[in-house]
């Protein structure tokens, strides 16, 4: 198997998403392109030669030599504190990828899509939403986005905008907005039954988030009758992206 090369990546823009997360836009000359749902490795190298790397999902579809990432700061992390607090436009890192070919959505697909994201697991799902919009696809999408409280919501303004064929639902596990009809709590069968597609529609289901969330959501989808081959999962631990 051909090894993917490391490429110089220069930061050209950034956006704050929450108090602990930001979106970073890199220019990567020679970038070969990527699919929505894939991820990349990011490497930092210190002046003394020490280097460390982490994987992060791509947050936007292929657009020339641009790679967009959304990074959540991990306490005591080696890479995320630099990317969320220190790096400035013009600074460089190294990027390798794209990586992964199973957890992807392609614009030529015609099946309805259910996206289930937990916390920063929204990132590759947002890439799929944006890829659908850019392609002018009429495939219907439904997103169920689970997060601790409203202050941790990524892409808040963009997801509020009307987007024909995209339905967005939220689930809060720790604190809810004033007047929210559902009490705070973890994802349940009824949440997926109400916000998802009937199994008979044979939707493609993409689930991304912390391991416990992904396992729970996948089990619930199976309980609702969704075929295992239609459920694609991507999970991460405390240092994943």
């Amino acid at each position: 198997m051909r090894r993917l090369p490391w490429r110089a990546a220069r930061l050209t823009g950034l956006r704050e998403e929450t108090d602990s997360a930001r979106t970073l836009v890199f220019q990567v000359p020679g970038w070969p392109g990527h699919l929505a749902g894939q991820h990349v490795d990011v490497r930092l190298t210190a002046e003394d030669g020490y280097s460390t790397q982490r994987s992060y999902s791509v947050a936007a579809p292929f657009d020339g030599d641009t790679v967009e990432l959304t990074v959540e700061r991990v306490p005591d992390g080696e890479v995320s504190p630099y990317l969320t607090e220190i790096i400035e436009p013009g600074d460089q890192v190294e990027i390798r990828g794209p990586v992964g070919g199973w957890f992807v959505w392609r614009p030529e697909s015609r099946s309805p899509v259910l996206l289930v994201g937990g916390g920063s697991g929204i990132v590759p799902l947002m890439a799929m939403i944006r890829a659908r919009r850019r392609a002018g696809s009429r495939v219907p999408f439904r997103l169920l986005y689970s997060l601790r409280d409203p202050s941790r919501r990524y892409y808040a303004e963009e997801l509020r905008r009307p987007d024909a064929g995209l339905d967005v639902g939220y689930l809060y596990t720790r604190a809810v907005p004033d007047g929210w009809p559902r009490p705070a709590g973890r994802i349940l069968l009824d949440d997926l039954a109400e916000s998802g597609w009937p199994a008979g529609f044979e939707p493609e289901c993409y689930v991304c988030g912390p391991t416990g969330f992904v396992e729970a959501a996948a089990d619930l989808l199976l309980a609702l009758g969704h075929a295992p081959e239609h459920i694609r999962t991507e999970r991460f631990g405390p240092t994943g992206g």
Side-chain angles (χ1 to χ4, degrees), residues 51-88:
S51 67
T52 185
Q53 66 190 60
R54 293 291 184 272
S55 295
Y56 295 102
S57 295
V58 181
F62 175 50
D63 184 15
D65 61 0
T66 297
V67 175
E68 188 168 317
L69 311 175
T70 301
V71 179
E72 174 87 21
R73 183 170 62 253
V74 177
D76 302 320
E78 288 190 293
V79 176
S80 65
Y82 176 78
L83 296 178
T84 56
E85 298 176 327
I86 299 174
I87 193 171
E88 296 179 348

Side-chain angles (χ1 to χ4, degrees), residues 91-240:
D91 291 344
Q92 287 195 354
V93 300
E94 292 176 285
I95 284 180
R96 178 175 64 186
V99 180
W102 167 247
F103 192 82
V104 298
W105 180 78
R106 293 175 170 83
E108 59 268 25
S109 173
R110 291 296 175 263
S111 300
V113 173
L114 172 61
L115 308 172
V116 184
S120 58
I122 184 65
V123 177
L125 308 184
M126 195 67 193
M128 297 177 190
I129 291 170
R130 289 166 168 168
R132 171 188 177 274
R133 186 187 307 137
R134 178 172 295 175
S137 172
R138 300 176 68 88
V139 169
F141 270 40
R142 290 184 177 178
L143 167 66
L144 179 59
Y145 183 8
S146 173
L147 59 163
R148 290 185 180 181
D149 60 71
S151 71
R152 293 176 176 264
R153 191 187 303 177
Y154 293 7
Y155 320 118
E157 183 177 344
E158 184 174 349
L159 287 174
R160 276 196 295 265
R161 298 175 195 155
D163 192 343
L166 170 67
D167 294 322
V168 180
Y170 293 94
L171 169 65
Y172 300 98
T173 61
R174 300 285 180 85
V176 300
D178 291 340
W180 196 253
R182 184 196 186 279
R186 296 186 177 184
I187 191 168
L188 300 172
L189 193 74
D190 287 348
D191 299 314
L192 286 170
E194 294 172 6
S195 297
W197 298 102
F201 285 23
E202 298 186 342
E204 294 296 332
C205 303
Y206 296 86
V207 185
C208 185
T211 296
F213 172 84
V214 169
E215 291 177 349
D219 286 346
L220 293 172
L221 288 170
L222 291 171
L224 287 169
H226 293 273
E229 61 269 23
H230 291 161
I231 302 172
R232 305 188 183 205
T233 62
E234 183 89 352
R235 63 197 72 196
F236 52 81
T239 60

